[in-house]
Amino acid sequence: MKRLSKTKKILIGIALILLLLISGGALYLHPMVTFFLQTEIQQLDKQLTLVLGGGGNSGILITDKALVVIDTKMGGDAGTLFKLASEKAAGKPILVINTHYHGDHVKGNHFYKGSRIYIGNYDKAFLQKEVDPDNMPTDYVKDSLVLDLGNETILLYDLGRAHTYHDMVVYLKNRKTLFSGDLIFHHINPFLKKESGADVDKWMAALHLILNKFDLEKVIPGHGSIGGKELVLSMIDYFGDMKAAVKDPSRASVLKAKYKDWVEMPMMTSPQATIDYIREAGH
Ligand SMILES: [Zn+2]
């Protein structure tokens, strides 16, 4: 048998190391992949369909007057969502609502040409820098807006600064169902970015306001599986814990255990990343 040359052995060695790194990486990424890249369709009732994952969670609601799409995802899943929405619209006009401007919630907007696309009251120049022209929303909601669509009344409520500069929640009044956007992640460490305007104190205030203002039967978080009021409470609890850990760093290890089941996004979100963000931002 011909012996392998030294170069070939080295190359095989490198390939094996790469394979190990990639498979190890895939295992590490797995929970994130499940939450962010896989889609799951949930039919909540005859008219309300959820498409979870594949970017932010989305909703498709059939009403008497229009078909409503909440958050348009990104990439291939945005196209699939649009196809599903178009089929369900069956000729009705489509209204689009963006809970906030992050790409995983708005990058499918370009499919809905001619539709009204609502978003919170961001500074237009800021949004033009952050969102490609094709995906720009058409209507900025100042404070709040009620859409009376016959069999459902939808309240769009701009909470101002929290996860970003103008997060907007979407409340389906008859269903007592709230689409929270990224104000709530279900058992996933939240995403905080200075450039987006993330402010933990204001975020907590927004969560309290949600609890006081809305009668909540179902909460559809920005990412992760759906739940009820307890999702709002768990986010408040999470931020309270992280703030306490800023004051008393010895708590960090206890919190690490408490939140060990919360998904982390490598290099982006984790209890430690939240603690560091609060410490650096001062809130
Ligand atoms: Zn976001």
Side-chain angles (χ1 to χ4, degrees):
M1 204 172 87
K2 212 177 132 191
R3 286 187 60 172
L4 290 172
S5 72
K6 204 177 170 189
T7 331
K8 270 190 182 163
K9 277 184 190 165
I10 292 170
L11 283 174
I12 290 170
I14 292 172
L16 279 173
I17 290 168
L18 278 176
L19 198 72
L20 273 173
L21 280 176
I22 291 166
S23 58
L27 280 177
Y28 179 51
L29 287 176
H30 178 69
M32 189 192 88
V33 170
T34 312
F35 278 113
F36 291 91
L37 301 181
Q38 273 177 11
T39 56
E40 183 198 333
I41 294 186
Q42 267 184 37
Q43 196 66 45
L44 283 198
D45 57 56
K46 250 184 154 177
Q47 280 93 26
L48 178 58
T49 312
L50 301 181
V51 185
L52 305 177
N57 290 336
S58 300
I60 300 174
L61 175 70
I62 305 169
T63 71
D64 293 336
K65 296 183 184 167
L67 181 111
V68 180
V69 175
I70 301 160
D71 284 347
T72 60
K73 304 196 187 293
M74 65 194 296
D77 292 311
T80 312
L81 181 78
F82 174 68
K83 204 169 157 264
L84 186 63
S86 306
E87 282 164 17
K88 289 183 183 292
K92 279 183 186 166
I94 299 182
L95 297 178
V96 177
I97 302 164
N98 292 147
T99 55
H100 64 298
Y101 77 89
H102 283 157
D104 51 337
H105 299 259
V106 307
K107 279 198 172 179
N109 283 0
H110 62 94
F111 285 108
Y112 304 85
K113 285 213 164 58
S115 288
R116 294 190 96 141
I117 303 177
Y118 296 96
I119 199 161
N121 197 26
Y122 290 100
D123 174 59
K124 197 174 177 187
F126 169 80
L127 221 57
Q128 277 166 336
K129 268 192 282 166
E130 300 291 328
V131 178
D132 3 288
D134 258 13
N135 291 319
M136 275 295 279
T138 60
D139 288 59
Y140 296 81
V141 174
K142 198 168 178 282
D143 302 325
S144 64
L145 180 72
V146 176
L147 300 171
D148 180 357
L149 300 170
N151 57 341
E152 185 57 281
T153 303
I154 303 181
L155 174 65
L156 308 183
Y157 199 86
D158 179 355
L159 285 156
R161 193 168 174 185
H163 166 67
T164 68
Y165 287 109
H166 279 279
D167 298 282
M168 190 163 76
V169 290
V170 181
Y171 185 63
L172 313 185
K173 217 172 153 195
N174 297 346
R175 289 173 170 82
K176 297 179 180 171
T177 294
L178 183 88
F179 287 79
S180 70
D182 286 1
L183 288 180
I184 297 168
F185 279 16
H186 188 173
H187 282 190
I188 305 172
N189 284 275
F191 179 60
L192 299 116
K193 201 173 159 212
K194 206 169 147 219
E195 296 73 29
S196 301
D199 180 315
V200 170
D201 284 347
K202 291 192 164 72
W203 194 327
M204 288 175 87
L207 292 166
H208 281 289
L209 196 144
I210 287 173
L211 281 181
N212 292 332
K213 189 171 174 61
F214 302 107
D215 186 3
L216 298 174
E217 258 175 30
K218 287 196 182 88
V219 173
I220 322 298
H223 297 272
S225 52
I226 76 167
K229 210 176 180 171
E230 76 284 355
L231 299 195
V232 190
L233 293 167
S234 76
M235 285 301 292
I236 293 173
D237 195 33
Y238 174 93
F239 282 130
D241 278 339
M242 299 308 149
K243 277 174 73 86
V246 172
K247 287 204 184 95
D248 175 8
S250 69
R251 288 178 59 95
S253 57
V254 178
L255 293 181
K256 216 174 162 190
K258 181 172 174 184
Y259 292 101
K260 69 176 186 334
D261 295 333
W262 284 46
V263 175
E264 298 183 9
M265 285 186 266
M267 322 279 289
M268 288 165 81
T269 79
S270 65
Q272 193 55 51
T274 307
I275 292 169
D276 292 344
Y277 187 91
I278 297 169
R279 186 185 299 114
E280 279 159 32
H283 46 73

